[in-house]
DNA sequence: ATTCTGACTTGGG
DNA sequence: CCCCAAGCCAGAA
């Protein structure tokens, strides 16, 4: 039988689905960090794998990948140049401003439910 | 199995 | 504030 636990590998279909699910929860006008997404997906310290998952994200998906930034609140540099500007543009369209190329996390950081239970 | 690489994070200087 | 080093995990060669 297979594993009983929920999140297996971050890049596996199941793990990616989890990551995408969390990213979809990021509200418009807010941003989340890779580590944050990983933790919320139940995979702490898989920040990099989150990046991989987003990289493998097919075009046209409903996942707001552009709302994911690194811990510095900056758009992570990609392998190919140009995409960073695309992400910045998308964020600005949602009302997120990037003064000096960085998002003011203190202002736009997404705060998931404090688990009001 | 080993080595390199990567859309990361945190800590120290 | 910026730069560097170490820690971290998984996929590809």
């Amino acid at each position: 039988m297979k594993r009983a636990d929920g999140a297996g590998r971050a890049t596996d279909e199941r793990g990616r689905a989890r990551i995408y699910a969390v990213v979809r929860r990021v509200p418009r006008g807010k941003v989340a960090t890779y580590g944050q997404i990983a933790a919320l997906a139940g995979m702490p310290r898989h920040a990099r794998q989150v990046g991989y998952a987003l990289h493998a994200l097919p075009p046209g998906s409903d996942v707001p990948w552009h709302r994911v930034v690194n811990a510095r609140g900056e758009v992570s540099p990609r392998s190919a140049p140009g995409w960073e500007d695309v992400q910045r543009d998308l964020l600005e369209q949602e009302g997120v401003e990037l003064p000096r190329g960085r998002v003011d996390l203190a202002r736009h950081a997404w705060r998931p439910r404090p688990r009001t239970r």
Side-chain angles (χ1 to χ4, degrees):
Chain A
M1 73 178 224
K2 306 167 85 179
R3 6 178 6 122
D5 56 315
R9 305 244 156 90
T11 41
D12 269 350
E13 201 171 304
R14 201 161 21 126
R16 290 198 311 236
R18 246 186 157 82
I19 291 168
Y20 298 153
V22 176
V23 177
R24 280 195 201 91
R25 279 158 58 192
V26 181
R28 192 168 168 283
K30 293 282 184 177
V31 297
T33 65
Y34 293 93
Q36 186 179 6
I37 297 298
L40 289 171
M43 301 180 245
R45 285 175 275 303
H46 274 102
R48 277 180 144 158
Q49 274 32 295
V50 171
Y52 278 152
L54 293 180
H55 181 73
L57 193 60
S61 69
D62 53 334
V63 180
W65 56 271
H66 55 272
R67 291 181 194 147
V68 184
V69 296
N70 61 30
R72 292 165 155 184
E74 187 180 51
V75 173
S76 291
R78 312 234 196 345
S79 311
W83 279 86
E84 308 175 35
D85 293 309
V86 175
Q87 184 168 359
R88 285 212 297 261
D89 190 50
L90 285 169
L91 287 173
E92 288 179 355
Q93 278 182 53
E94 301 190 341
V96 177
E97 302 186 21
L98 298 96
R100 209 163 166 274
R102 288 182 245 177
V103 177
D104 184 354
L105 289 180
R107 200 168 84 116
H108 291 289
W110 173 47
R111 311 261 176 118
R113 297 282 88 176
R115 248 11 112 182
T116 47
R117 22 153 77 276

